[in-house]
Amino acid sequence: MAKRIGIVDVAAAAGVSVTTVSHALNGRGQVNPATRERVQRVAIELGYAPNRIATALRNRRSGIIGFVSDEIATTPYSGRVILGAQDAAAERGILLVMVDSNGDPEVEARQILALRAQQVDAIVYARMYHQTVSVPSAIGELPTVLVDAVDRHSTSPSVVPDEVGIGRDGTAYLIAMGHRNIVHLTIDDRGPGHDGRIVGYREVMRANGLEPRIASVPSPADGRAGFDALRLAISDTERPTAVFCFNDEMALGVYQSARELGIAVPGELSVMGVDDFTPIAAQLRPGLTTIALPHYEMGRWAIRTLADLIDGVEPPESHVRMPAGMVVRDSVVAPSSLGGIHA
Amino acid sequence: MAKRIGIVDVAAAAGVSVTTVSHALNGRGQVNPATRERVQRVAIELGYAPNRIATALRNRRSGIIGFVSDEIATTPYSGRVILGAQDAAAERGILLVMVDSNGDPEVEARQILALRAQQVDAIVYARMYHQTVSVPSAIGELPTVLVDAVDRHSTSPSVVPDEVGIGRDGTAYLIAMGHRNIVHLTIDDRGPGHDGRIVGYREVMRANGLEPRIASVPSPADGRAGFDALRLAISDTERPTAVFCFNDEMALGVYQSARELGIAVPGELSVMGVDDFTPIAAQLRPGLTTIALPHYEMGRWAIRTLADLIDGVEPPESHVRMPAGMVVRDSVVAPSSLGGIHA
DNA sequence: CAGGCTACCCAAATCGATTGCTGCGCGCGA
DNA sequence: TCGCGCGCAGCAATCGATTTGGGTAGCCTG
């Protein structure tokens, strides 16, 4: 069992005091350059790495940020947020400890207390889809940022996707491709994503002199939803040439419904999703044109903001709406003249 | 700024020394029951929680386990492993810190060093799909378990899915449903999953007097793979009534290919996947019958085993093959008499 | 040559909790 | 009455690093 080597071992090997080793390694105090170099060399030779626990105790700073989320496992998007957070944390030499409340507020409170006992320096409070929350009181005074969530009663910084922008961009893209008869398929449950995208969609449709048409179904995950939705859409007076779906799962449903109804995608119907949920979007044929939510970027922003906050740097912007990006594949094409009844 | 309250505050409030508070709270030493109760009451009133950093320094035990994985974000399965690990960790009052090497061995080594500096008590070394690895030397003497991975040169415990069992169970199920002409669709890349499932498939086919037929394609994620694979399968002398796919993504490909080829699923062709990758498996119509890999269970086993190892308890089994479970939906039915040319 | 400055280095306190050992006081047996 | 044992508390050392507040030697200046 190789004994862990500590600062005293380095001091002994370099023939100086621990004080000097600390100074030499951390660039504090006055140290003779020759001595400093010798200490550094010895430290490397011995493979010395300071015990962060001891440092944390002394400096009242653990170098750990807690990542609290409601459901790490169930949604695949979460991985992107975490990855962004990881990368930013690695840049700054910060470690992340993640806890999952499983949606239970009591568990959540307990987990947060555990994080505080562990002396985390800050907390990321993340939701796995954009929603309104209230920050648990257990967090107390700890610096906190919200990811994919906002709390009207809290002053903590937050970052969410620019939902209105998503609605705008998607709609604008479809229009640019020549579509005029575009249905927005959304879900019944309201929320920031639901509302924002509708706002963006409406805005761009109207700006182009087009009539917004919105249909909604109970749940994106429901296999029947796409079917019903598409039915709703095509039973309308004018048959749409494009469907702008709330997310990729719903787009998958539309694909399947279209097949059953004998409608060709994208020949007769262009389909656009939101999420860029790769296993679906890339695997479908035709490949799904979609809008990628900025999960990675939000995760990274969260950690960077917190790292600054810990150092006492206030973020320039407190509530950020992160832009999303189009991912163009093959499910959107110019409408054929056969596509719909003319207006 | 509410000052964090420490053991000295409790001691002062209870009118005893910190020693006595420690003894009372941890059940060490001799403490008068009345005193003990008073201390406990005061501690709760003050909301005291011991500073785990200080405890860790003193006890040389941080209560943190490092979770090292190659890619947290890219595969959605990882979430299940993490969730299982989280749950087991919460049970034991352990915290998990996760790092993602992004597949880069150098980054990985650096991350592991950071974990060691942070004095983690043990390490979970997880891969996101079943493979053979070698445990990085940076881990040193730390207790370690491997998840979804084995290392022939290491004595660390490991847990992997029972691949042979998966091959067996899937095949047996199809046979039980009345199929005799079953193709196993796999990938070109070999690996424990690839090999094990073939072994199980072959074994059960032969045991039932049936001829194993195996086709393989370059990649499950490749949209064309399913198409090619299905072509391969049906261009065979006898048309199969069932396809046992390496995973759900491949099954999705088969669904789409079948549609293009005018083959009804499940009427003319039963399809079975592996993974129970919900966004695909549950969303497809017909719902995909598949085999769920024991990710959650593996994550939980890993933490439990490590927690024991830290306490000096050797695990009863060192290399565990975790059984998987069938998830029956609608993509497997009894073959119709029309299904294939008779043998 | 004394006083003052620098440049270097170090002893010791500190962070908060745990624990080995010591001390005190009371009761009981000799 | 003395002494021993026991029940109960607490002092002080400890974990490993950082940091404060000097201390010492060498050099410069008046």
Side-chain angles (χ1 to χ4, degrees):
Chain A
M1 180 81 160
K3 190 176 70 69
R4 290 194 53 80
I5 62 104
I7 199 173
V8 294
D9 303 304
V10 177
V16 294
S17 71
V18 297
T19 303
T20 303
V21 174
S22 178
H23 284 160
L25 262 26
N26 299 317
R28 303 289 156 82
Q30 302 273 33
V31 181
N32 185 310
T35 310
R36 174 180 309 254
E37 204 207 334
R38 179 160 43 89
V39 169
Q40 288 172 335
R41 188 164 35 73
V42 169
I44 290 170
E45 275 169 16
L46 266 49
Y48 169 72
N51 182 328
R52 303 274 234 119
I53 291 278
T55 307
L57 180 59
R58 178 65 228 245
N59 294 352
R60 292 131 163 285
R61 181 179 300 196
S62 63
I64 298 182
I65 289 180
F67 188 104
V68 179
S69 92
D70 50 343
E71 28 180 339
I72 286 174
T74 23
T75 81
Y77 320 114
S78 53
R80 317 284 311 269
V81 178
I82 293 168
L83 190 58
Q86 290 283 3
D87 285 355
E91 269 173 21
R92 307 267 192 144
I94 290 171
L95 250 23
L96 244 43
V97 8
M98 317 211 325
V99 299
D100 184 326
S101 68
N102 222 342
D104 180 340
E106 200 190 322
V107 172
E108 183 176 82
R110 209 169 31 241
Q111 300 267 37
I112 291 172
L113 259 16
L115 290 177
R116 291 186 39 153
Q118 199 63 248
Q119 311 297 117
V120 298
D121 296 331
I123 284 186
V124 177
Y125 192 72
R127 293 277 124 158
M128 284 317 152
Y129 65 93
H130 189 167
Q131 55 195 281
T132 306
V133 300
S134 59
V135 175
S137 59
I139 289 181
E141 310 276 345
L142 276 180
T144 305
V145 305
L146 308 183
V147 173
D148 231 351
V150 288
D151 181 349
R152 251 177 270 298
H153 307 296
S154 160
T155 56
S156 298
S158 66
V159 58
V160 297
D162 178 7
E163 304 288 1
V164 176
I166 290 170
R168 272 198 285 254
D169 293 350
T171 310
Y173 179 74
L174 290 169
I175 291 174
M177 290 296 282
H179 293 275
R180 301 188 58 77
N181 200 332
I182 302 166
V183 168
H184 180 47
L185 269 195
T186 186
I187 49 171
D188 290 342
D189 297 325
R190 298 192 48 169
H194 172 279
D195 296 353
R197 291 174 204 173
I198 287 179
V199 168
Y201 164 75
R202 280 222 175 94
E203 183 184 313
V204 172
M205 288 295 276
R206 294 240 166 83
N208 284 272
L210 303 174
E211 188 60 31
R213 291 163 64 199
I214 295 170
S216 88
V217 292
S219 149
D222 181 0
R224 299 182 40 174
F227 186 77
D228 296 343
L230 193 53
R231 266 197 131 82
L232 276 173
I234 66 167
S235 69
D236 220 319
T237 40
E238 295 180 21
R239 180 158 149 188
T241 61
V243 187
F244 179 11
C245 299
F246 178 74
N247 65 13
D248 289 354
E249 267 184 281
M250 190 174 280
L252 170 56
V254 169
Y255 268 52
Q256 301 203 51
S257 303
R259 285 236 170 72
E260 291 180 15
L261 295 168
I263 300 170
V265 174
E268 295 174 275
L269 186 71
S270 288
V271 178
M272 181 150 72
V274 174
D275 275 354
D276 191 32
F277 181 36
T278 313
I280 288 180
Q283 176 71 2
L284 283 175
R285 270 168 304 150
L288 182 62
T289 291
T290 187
I291 298 176
L293 292 176
H295 285 118
Y296 181 89
E297 291 75 13
M298 295 195 298
R300 194 159 60 170
W301 184 91
I303 296 299
R304 288 186 171 169
T305 303
L306 279 181
D308 286 349
L309 227 37
I310 292 170
D311 293 336
V313 182
E314 289 297 318
E317 266 185 300
S318 194
H319 297 283
V320 170
R321 292 194 318 255
M322 193 72 71
M326 287 276 306
V327 178
V328 175
R329 295 200 182 83
D330 314 311
S331 66
V332 175
V333 297
S336 72
S337 52
L338 302 166
I341 303 166
H342 73 283
Chain B
M1 182 79 160
K3 189 174 72 68
R4 289 193 51 78
I5 62 105
I7 199 173
V8 295
D9 303 303
V10 177
V16 292
S17 72
V18 296
T19 303
T20 302
V21 173
S22 178
H23 284 161
L25 261 27
N26 299 316
R28 304 288 156 82
Q30 302 274 36
V31 181
N32 185 308
T35 310
R36 172 178 313 247
E37 204 207 335
R38 178 160 43 90
V39 169
Q40 287 172 335
R41 187 163 36 73
V42 170
I44 290 170
E45 273 169 17
L46 266 50
Y48 168 72
N51 182 328
R52 303 275 234 122
I53 291 279
T55 307
L57 180 59
R58 177 66 225 249
N59 294 351
R60 294 136 161 284
R61 176 170 314 187
S62 63
I64 298 182
I65 288 179
F67 188 105
V68 179
S69 92
D70 50 342
E71 30 179 339
I72 285 174
T74 24
T75 81
Y77 319 115
S78 53
R80 316 286 311 271
V81 178
I82 294 168
L83 190 57
Q86 290 284 2
D87 285 355
E91 267 173 22
R92 308 267 193 146
I94 290 171
L95 251 24
L96 245 43
V97 7
M98 316 211 329
V99 298
D100 185 326
S101 68
N102 223 343
D104 181 339
E106 200 190 324
V107 173
E108 184 177 81
R110 208 166 34 239
Q111 301 267 36
I112 290 172
L113 258 17
L115 289 176
R116 291 186 38 152
Q118 199 64 247
Q119 312 298 115
V120 299
D121 296 331
I123 283 187
V124 177
Y125 191 70
R127 294 278 125 157
M128 283 318 152
Y129 63 93
H130 189 167
Q131 55 195 278
T132 307
V133 300
S134 60
V135 175
S137 60
I139 289 181
E141 310 275 344
L142 277 180
T144 304
V145 305
L146 309 182
V147 173
D148 233 351
V150 287
D151 180 350
R152 252 176 269 299
H153 307 295
S154 159
T155 55
S156 298
S158 66
V159 59
V160 297
D162 179 7
E163 304 287 1
V164 176
I166 290 170
R168 271 199 284 254
D169 293 350
T171 310
Y173 179 73
L174 290 170
I175 291 174
M177 291 296 282
H179 295 274
R180 301 188 58 77
N181 200 332
I182 303 165
V183 168
H184 181 48
L185 269 193
T186 185
I187 49 173
D188 289 343
D189 296 324
R190 298 193 47 171
H194 172 279
D195 296 354
R197 292 174 203 173
I198 288 179
V199 168
Y201 165 74
R202 281 223 174 92
E203 183 185 313
V204 172
M205 287 296 275
R206 294 242 166 82
N208 283 272
L210 303 174
E211 189 59 31
R213 292 163 66 198
I214 295 171
S216 88
V217 292
S219 149
D222 181 1
R224 298 182 42 175
F227 187 76
D228 295 344
L230 193 54
R231 266 198 133 79
L232 275 174
I234 65 167
S235 68
D236 220 320
T237 41
E238 294 182 21
R239 180 157 151 189
T241 61
V243 188
F244 180 10
C245 299
F246 179 73
N247 66 12
D248 289 354
E249 269 184 279
M250 190 174 279
L252 170 55
V254 169
Y255 269 52
Q256 302 202 49
S257 303
R259 285 237 170 72
E260 292 179 16
L261 295 170
I263 299 172
V265 174
E268 294 175 274
L269 185 70
S270 287
V271 178
M272 180 150 73
V274 174
D275 275 354
D276 191 31
F277 181 38
T278 313
I280 288 180
Q283 175 73 2
L284 284 174
R285 270 168 304 149
L288 182 62
T289 291
T290 186
I291 298 178
L293 292 177
H295 286 117
Y296 181 89
E297 290 75 12
M298 294 195 299
R300 194 159 60 169
W301 184 90
I303 296 300
R304 288 186 171 169
T305 303
L306 280 180
D308 286 348
L309 228 36
I310 292 169
D311 293 336
V313 182
E314 289 297 319
E317 266 185 301
S318 195
H319 298 284
V320 170
R321 294 195 318 257
M322 193 71 73
M326 286 276 305
V327 179
V328 175
R329 294 199 181 84
D330 313 312
S331 66
V332 175
V333 298
S336 72
S337 51
L338 303 165
I341 303 165
H342 72 284

